[in-house]
Amino acid sequence: MIAGVCNLNKDNLGLTQMDNGFITVSWNAFESVQVKSSDKLFTIVLKALSTSTLSQSIHMNSAITTAEAYDQNLIEKDIRLSFRSDNGIISDNGIVLYQNNPNPFSDNTVIGFEVPKAAKATLSIYDLTGKVLFVKEVNTVKGYNSVRVNNSQLGVTGILFYQLDAEGYSATRRMLVIQ
């Protein structure tokens, strides 16, 4: 870890869940720290174990530690993780749909997603012909949410698509159901 304006060090990292793919970070200051949008708060250096895109491999969520930030008046601030490319910032409206896990699956799978604020969302699963196999209305909480889907709820095997619709946002991913 490389400190920035937050002056983080190894004591600010939670590494007990690292084998499960999670690193937690917590930091606070007793004195007000002025931060500009161009400031680098801190840097974490990681080594890739497989070929992937960074934006699909690293996520900020509230699965273990609540993702939150407050200003000097204790007013909650919006935080999100953005990625830069040669074309600028890869960003969206703060909603992220993750690949189901496990994939492929035979018994059940978990579809995770993040929303920037509590809202109603709809998760739909359909086959290659567009036939809807599963619909779940979700009252989300701010941050990480997930839906467990059992193979018995789908009744089919093969390639399926799942789609999340929330706050004017829609994203679709593929998954594979096996025997």
Side-chain angles (χ1 to χ4, degrees):
M1 174 184 314
I2 302 168
V5 297
C6 289
N7 199 23
L8 287 163
N9 62 50
K10 63 181 172 85
D11 295 332
N12 299 103
L13 293 178
L15 304 176
T16 59
Q17 293 292 316
M18 193 164 61
D19 290 342
N20 296 324
F22 294 99
I23 296 174
T24 61
V25 178
S26 180
W27 176 80
N28 67 313
F30 294 107
E31 301 167 357
S32 179
V33 176
Q34 297 299 317
V35 178
K36 299 182 294 245
S37 62
S38 60
D39 286 342
K40 187 181 296 186
L41 302 179
F42 60 92
T43 302
I44 296 177
V45 180
L46 304 169
K47 181 178 179 181
L49 300 176
S50 64
T51 303
S52 180
T53 60
L54 191 61
S55 62
Q56 292 180 339
S57 301
I58 298 176
H59 309 284
M60 179 173 53
N61 63 52
S62 298
I64 295 177
T65 303
T66 304
E68 59 188 358
Y70 298 90
D71 66 13
Q72 66 273 14
N73 298 315
L74 298 179
I75 296 172
E76 187 171 7
K77 305 305 282 184
D78 185 35
I79 58 172
R80 67 179 57 155
L81 188 59
S82 297
F83 299 90
R84 297 183 194 275
S85 71
D86 293 339
N87 300 326
I89 295 176
I90 301 169
S91 186
D92 53 39
N93 63 353
I95 298 176
V96 179
L97 177 61
Y98 296 116
Q99 185 64 52
N100 64 301
N101 186 24
N103 187 42
F105 72 98
S106 59
D107 294 327
N108 58 64
T109 190
V110 175
I111 299 171
F113 56 94
E114 291 183 51
V115 292
K117 63 181 180 180
K120 291 188 186 270
T122 304
L123 179 68
S124 305
I125 299 175
Y126 51 95
D127 66 14
L128 291 172
T129 67
K131 178 182 175 189
V132 177
L133 305 171
F134 175 89
V135 176
K136 172 110 177 165
E137 300 288 329
V138 183
N139 289 320
T140 67
V141 296
K142 177 183 174 183
Y144 183 79
N145 295 265
S146 64
V147 174
R148 180 174 297 278
V149 179
N150 294 312
N151 187 357
S152 61
Q153 294 172 291
L154 304 173
V156 298
T157 59
I159 297 173
L160 302 178
F161 296 91
Y162 59 96
Q163 180 174 316
L164 179 70
D165 295 294
E167 298 276 310
Y169 168 91
S170 183
T172 304
R173 288 187 172 262
R174 284 187 301 186
M175 63 181 174
L176 179 60
V177 183
I178 57 176
Q179 287 284 356

